[in-house]
Every structure is written in C-alpha cells, then in structure tokens.
Amino acid sequence: MPSSEKYRLGKLCLVKVTGTSSSIWHVIKEIEIPDYHMAKTYEITVDYNNSEGTIRILLNGTQKIAYTDPEPLCGTSYGIRSEFRNTTYTSPTINSK
C-alpha cells in the first residue's frame, strides 16, 4: 500500500520496496505503539542478517517485530522513512551480518 493512501501515526512498520522505484513498497508487518506521542524520542534498532534473511526491529530495546524474508534482499542499500517531514534521526547507524 503506498504511503499516500494511509498515515500510520503511532505505528511501527516493516516495509519492503519492490521493483526499481522506491515508491512501490508493501507493508510486511505493522504494530501499534500504544503510548505514542509525536514529541517523544524513540530508539529504533533494526537487526538484519542477510545470510538468514532475518529482520528484527526493537523499540526502546524491546523486540517488536521479527520476520524471516523468504526472498532476502540482494542489494546493498538500506533505508528508513517517516510519514512526517519534521522527523529527526539522531546518530543513525546501519549494521548487517
């Protein structure tokens, strides 16, 4: 579902881009963040193991999403996005195995 069709305020989503356009993405898993507040700071950690195709997403140190991709990514590019322009990311790092 393209992002323009539905805002995901207060949700953490794992999405996968398919094809050659970054505008074609699909929600794989989505969870509610019960106490979400736009002014609050959240620590999001994404662990990706390319050899196993496993992805884990932690919110403030607690695992919220775990997924094994039957067709693991073959590229070397990663991304993070927000539905809102005023989102700030501090100290982003990417680690993969």
Side-chain angles (χ1 to χ4, degrees):
M1 171 186 305
S3 61
S4 60
E5 290 183 23
K6 177 182 173 186
Y7 284 103
R8 292 180 168 78
L9 184 62
K11 295 184 180 183
L12 183 64
C13 304
L14 172 62
V15 300
K16 185 172 185 177
V17 176
T18 57
T20 57
S21 171
S22 63
S23 65
I24 303 172
W25 54 279
H26 305 279
V27 175
I28 295 171
K29 290 205 174 183
E30 178 177 270
I31 63 154
E32 295 279 338
I33 302 173
D35 60 346
Y36 176 80
H37 190 277
M38 288 182 70
K40 191 174 175 182
T41 299
Y42 297 89
E43 179 184 334
I44 300 171
T45 305
V46 179
D47 291 327
Y48 175 58
N49 185 316
N50 190 37
S51 63
E52 298 175 3
T54 57
I55 301 167
R56 292 183 330 122
I57 300 178
L58 294 85
L59 180 66
N60 297 330
T62 302
Q63 181 175 305
K64 297 294 184 179
I65 294 176
Y67 177 72
T68 300
D69 194 340
E71 297 179 32
L73 300 170
C74 59
T76 57
S77 298
Y78 302 87
I80 188 168
R81 70 177 287 162
S82 171
E83 302 260 349
F84 302 98
R85 293 177 202 194
N86 62 347
T87 299
T88 302
Y89 299 102
T90 55
S91 305
T93 59
I94 296 175
N95 300 307
S96 65
K97 298 177 186 176

